[in-house]
Amino acid sequence: MGIYNRDYFRNDNRPSAEGFLASAFKWIIVANVVIYILQLVVPDNVVTEWLDLSPVAVLHGQVWRLITYAFCHEPGSPFHILFNMLFLYWFGATLERMYGTREFMLFYFVSAFVSGLAFLALAIVMQDRTPAIGASGAVMAVVMLYAIHFPRDEMYFLLFRVQIRFLVLFYIVVDLWPVLRAIGGEGHSDGVAHAAHLGGLAFGFAYHYFHLHLDRGWGSLKNLRAPRIRIRKPPESIRVFDPYREEERREEERGENLDVKVDAILAKIQAHGEASLTDQERETLRRASQRYKENMRNR
């Protein structure tokens, strides 16, 4: 597949829906900001009460709250919406270029829904009627998916440069600990929807692991399967160790497609520039270029 066949290099005239919803992550940010302003200016918390994820209201049929809660934030804490939208801006742009506008939008909304279900499930088990608000669950799904594609990307966290994979691991531990304590009857609510965060992280991982394509509808679920596990045979002869060829061999054994990795790297270059690439990503581009030249010679 040539790079000009990929979605982010196309320049065709698609239906107006794609054009209107171009840069879905920006529209999601705008929607969050607009609703946050309404939360501030409309008296008596009417907006929040109509949109939050109230376990009692959902069990009485108000199922829209499993989505709308993700567009509300704590009116008294501007940092709540600020950090959620920053994370969405930093990581959502690259993922949208990789997966396309429609797929990314579906991924975000389904992430919010799954995160809401995770929160609701724990609330039912704990008999807790406290409602939840915030985009954190869906944003955690975005962060997880980005970390799977670019695990060695770095960002500042508490004044330290941290690889994104370790940041995700940190969030898993921080959110899992209070949930386990609450289930065990030893914890107390700290005002954070940890179960929603875990639901988003789990869905982001499952989306990549099971190769889901939400824009295909039920067809994606019909073909649901985990990657096959292959048993390696012992080597028959001694070989000279080449770390890059070893990496390529492991990718083939895991069933990974080099084109998919190149798509991700090109999307990253478009979003952050060539200077953001790691040595491993540069080597992947070199291998792809070499394979392309070999294919051209064999034609």
Side-chain angles (χ1 to χ4, degrees):
M1 179 190 297
I3 61 175
Y4 294 103
N5 292 327
R6 300 187 175 108
D7 289 342
Y8 41 84
F9 279 97
R10 292 178 183 168
N11 192 24
D12 51 4
N13 295 321
R14 297 196 172 188
S16 58
E18 280 285 341
F20 179 75
L21 292 176
S23 298
F25 76 95
K26 294 181 181 179
W27 282 103
I28 294 171
I29 292 174
V30 169
N32 276 271
V33 172
V34 170
I35 292 178
Y36 183 71
I37 293 174
L38 290 176
Q39 288 180 267
L40 293 175
V41 300
V42 176
D44 301 325
N45 293 325
V46 173
V47 176
T48 305
E49 290 178 1
W50 269 95
L51 301 180
D52 66 15
L53 182 53
S54 167
V56 176
V58 173
L59 294 177
H60 280 81
Q62 298 181 17
V63 293
W64 69 78
R65 295 175 181 269
L66 287 167
I67 294 294
T68 57
Y69 83 96
F71 291 88
C72 295
H73 290 83
E74 176 57 46
S77 176
F79 292 105
H80 188 201
I81 184 173
L82 176 63
F83 284 111
N84 277 338
M85 296 304 100
L86 281 176
F87 271 61
L88 179 58
Y89 178 80
W90 288 334
F91 306 123
T94 300
L95 293 180
E96 184 174 346
R97 290 188 180 95
M98 290 171 56
Y99 289 94
T101 296
R102 183 184 292 109
E103 180 68 14
F104 176 78
M105 183 174 62
L106 289 171
F107 170 77
Y108 186 85
F109 277 93
V110 174
S111 298
F113 180 78
V114 172
S115 300
L117 287 180
F119 173 83
L120 183 63
L122 183 63
I124 293 174
V125 170
M126 303 304 299
Q127 298 182 348
D128 187 356
R129 298 186 176 186
T130 306
I133 54 175
S136 302
V139 170
M140 284 294 175
V142 171
V143 174
M144 170 62 83
L145 187 58
Y146 185 93
I148 291 174
H149 285 290
F150 309 108
R152 291 179 174 81
D153 269 16
E154 295 182 340
M155 65 176 297
Y156 280 101
F157 181 71
L158 300 179
L159 303 180
F160 296 99
R161 290 179 64 88
V162 180
Q163 290 186 358
I164 188 68
R165 55 179 174 172
F166 297 126
L167 182 64
V168 169
L169 180 61
F170 171 80
Y171 278 122
I172 292 174
V173 173
V174 167
D175 287 318
L176 185 60
W177 177 256
V179 169
L180 294 178
R181 284 180 56 85
I183 294 175
E186 299 180 2
H188 61 278
S189 177
D190 58 0
V192 178
H194 296 287
H197 295 179
L198 292 174
L201 291 166
F203 178 75
F205 177 83
Y207 176 86
H208 181 270
Y209 186 79
F210 293 109
H211 307 291
L212 298 180
H213 296 281
L214 300 175
D215 60 350
R216 298 179 185 174
W218 291 109
S220 177
L221 298 180
K222 290 179 181 178
N223 299 322
L224 185 65
R225 61 181 179 85
R228 291 182 299 174
I229 299 177
R230 301 181 182 181
I231 300 177
R232 287 188 287 178
K233 296 181 180 180
E236 298 178 355
S237 59
I238 298 176
R239 298 178 301 174
V240 176
F241 178 74
D242 184 337
Y244 294 120
R245 292 197 175 274
E246 282 293 310
E247 177 65 19
E248 186 174 0
R249 181 178 61 79
R250 285 196 295 268
E251 290 172 359
E252 292 176 353
E253 290 178 350
R254 293 195 298 262
E256 295 183 5
N257 191 324
L258 184 60
D259 282 339
V260 175
K261 299 194 72 173
V262 172
D263 285 348
I265 294 171
L266 292 176
K268 182 180 178 182
I269 293 175
Q270 194 174 31
H272 304 294
E274 186 178 352
S276 65
L277 297 183
T278 63
D279 291 340
Q280 185 178 8
E281 290 165 345
R282 295 179 188 276
E283 177 60 24
T284 299
L285 288 179
R286 188 196 64 79
R287 292 205 318 267
S289 176
Q290 183 177 358
R291 180 176 297 182
Y292 175 75
K293 292 177 181 178
E294 292 175 354
N295 291 339
M296 292 295 293
R297 285 197 297 267
N298 294 332
R299 287 184 178 180

